[in-house]
Amino acid sequence: MIDVRNVSKYFEDTLAVDQVSFQIKEGAVFGLIGINGSGKSSLLRLMSGIYRADEGVILVDDQQVFDHVPARKKIFYISDEQYFFENATLVDMRNYYRMIYEDFDSGRYDRMVRDVELDPSKKIHTYSKGMRKQLSMIAGVCAGTKYMLCDETFDGLDPVMRQMVKNLLSYEMTHREFTPVIASHNMRELEDICDHVGLLYKGGMLLSRDVEDMKLHIHKAQCVFREEGDAARAFEGLDLVSRECRGSLYTVTVRGHREQLISAITAQNPLFYEILPLSLEEIFISETEVAGYDIKKIIG
């Protein structure tokens, strides 16, 4: 488990991370969401031991991560801006990673770079951003670390490669002890794969919640009633987040139990109703409104 306790980080007069506390449980995909400048990259560097926290502490499996090599060896960090040694080749980086990570799988690395058709005769600095991102992901899974911290994982990847990355993360979690942390400014990229999501804003953690838990307590429905009064009676007493009517079609988002919503609608004998899945963005809109924030402004 990664345990972040009251962590703050300053860069001269700028407070980049502000009293952040949360936990990342093993075997779950943790999504870290926030607009550019919200503190995601700084927080990932703190968690990986690159930066020292000015306040608070970060524990990786009960060990402080900064200046503690055994804890840092459990983490593979992938930055948004890919960095490789100048004039390095695929072989150069393989040999380097093999020295750093004792469980690095060189054979798998060679197979995977062939599979994605990265040219071994070219210097890595000549690769596109997407190709360098692919290489970082391959190196990350081949390192065999328990945790992988990814900054803007899907940025620069085409749709096929994005799906490949998702499948790769799923495979790793199925076959070994592996916990990925994925930072992004785009909720839609994360909603298919995240088990837990944290929302950063101006360096602070607004919300850290289990996705399934959130889904259990908010629901969306579309329904058509015989009379307008039936709609009023159906929604009376429900905790409405939103209500929209287009012609005879009502669309509502409601906090509470699914069975309560269905019971209220069916009691009025509707002509039609269905319960719809909510996007991660819709769920966060509801949760942050409860906390007094307007997520539409926060995530732009």
Side-chain angles (χ1 to χ4, degrees):
M1 181 175 71
I2 298 178
D3 191 2
V4 180
R5 301 180 183 175
N6 302 315
V7 167
S8 295
K9 180 64 181 178
Y10 291 86
F11 295 100
E12 296 182 349
D13 295 331
T14 300
L15 179 58
V17 178
D18 184 10
Q19 290 294 307
V20 168
S21 296
F22 64 99
Q23 293 181 337
I24 298 174
K25 297 179 181 179
E26 298 173 9
V29 182
F30 189 99
L32 190 62
I33 296 172
I35 60 173
N36 293 331
S38 61
K40 301 189 305 297
S41 297
S42 296
L43 184 55
L44 289 182
R45 291 187 175 101
L46 286 162
M47 292 163 58
S48 62
I50 296 172
Y51 292 161
R52 181 198 294 270
D54 294 316
E55 298 174 13
V57 65
I58 298 176
L59 303 176
V60 175
D61 294 342
D62 297 322
Q63 296 177 326
Q64 291 200 43
V65 67
F66 189 81
D67 272 350
H68 196 268
V69 174
R72 294 181 65 175
K73 281 191 173 183
K74 295 181 179 182
I75 293 173
F76 192 97
Y77 169 64
I78 300 177
S79 67
D80 181 26
E81 293 297 328
Q82 306 303 292
Y83 173 79
F84 299 96
F85 297 127
E86 189 173 359
N87 294 321
T89 64
L90 295 177
V91 172
D92 293 331
M93 294 310 302
R94 180 197 64 195
N95 293 338
Y96 169 74
Y97 289 130
R98 189 167 56 189
M99 289 190 297
I100 301 299
Y101 300 100
E102 57 190 27
D103 294 325
F104 189 82
D105 190 337
S106 298
R108 187 184 183 196
Y109 173 90
D110 291 339
R111 290 193 301 273
M112 292 182 73
V113 295
R114 285 197 305 268
D115 289 343
V116 298
E117 300 181 348
L118 295 177
D119 190 342
S121 66
K122 292 184 177 181
K123 305 292 186 182
I124 295 173
H125 71 78
T126 66
Y127 290 174
S128 68
K129 181 176 181 179
M131 295 168 70
R132 294 195 300 272
K133 185 77 75 170
Q134 291 176 40
L135 177 56
S136 292
M137 289 299 300
I138 289 171
V141 298
C142 290
T145 57
K146 185 176 180 179
Y147 303 98
M148 181 189 291
L149 310 185
C150 309
D151 197 354
E152 300 294 351
T153 309
F154 302 102
D155 189 28
L157 299 181
D158 60 47
V160 173
M161 291 309 304
R162 291 183 185 202
Q163 188 58 49
M164 186 209 76
V165 169
K166 291 178 182 179
N167 292 342
L168 184 59
L169 294 176
S170 177
Y171 178 87
E172 294 301 304
M173 295 181 69
T174 302
H175 288 82
R176 66 181 179 91
E177 194 176 34
F178 180 70
T179 301
V181 180
I182 304 173
S184 178
H185 61 274
N186 191 331
M187 288 189 183
R188 291 180 180 86
E189 290 181 339
L190 300 181
E191 63 182 329
D192 294 336
I193 58 174
C194 286
D195 302 299
H196 195 106
V197 180
L199 176 61
L200 273 180
Y201 180 59
K202 293 185 178 179
M205 184 69 77
L206 292 188
L207 192 69
S208 179
R209 292 286 301 276
D210 182 84
V211 174
E212 285 303 316
D213 180 60
M214 288 191 289
K215 288 181 177 179
L216 286 174
H217 294 91
I218 184 167
H219 309 281
K220 185 177 182 179
Q222 286 187 334
C223 38
V224 177
F225 297 96
R226 300 176 188 277
E227 298 179 5
E228 186 174 340
D230 294 338
R233 286 187 290 273
F235 304 143
E236 184 180 5
L238 296 177
D239 187 2
L240 287 177
V241 176
S242 65
R243 170 177 168 171
E244 181 182 356
C245 181
R246 294 186 179 181
S248 60
L249 179 66
Y250 289 86
T251 302
V252 295
T253 303
V254 178
R255 294 190 190 94
H257 295 290
R258 177 188 177 97
E259 294 74 15
Q260 180 187 10
L261 173 60
I262 293 174
S263 177
I265 293 173
T266 56
Q268 303 305 318
N269 194 24
L271 294 171
F272 161 83
Y273 86 92
E274 65 176 339
I275 307 299
L276 303 173
L278 280 159
S279 70
L280 185 58
E281 184 171 316
E282 289 174 312
I283 294 171
F284 259 78
I285 287 172
S286 168
E287 295 292 338
T288 53
E289 284 177 348
V290 171
Y293 297 96
D294 185 351
I295 197 173
K296 295 176 183 177
K297 294 181 180 179
I298 292 171
I299 65 175

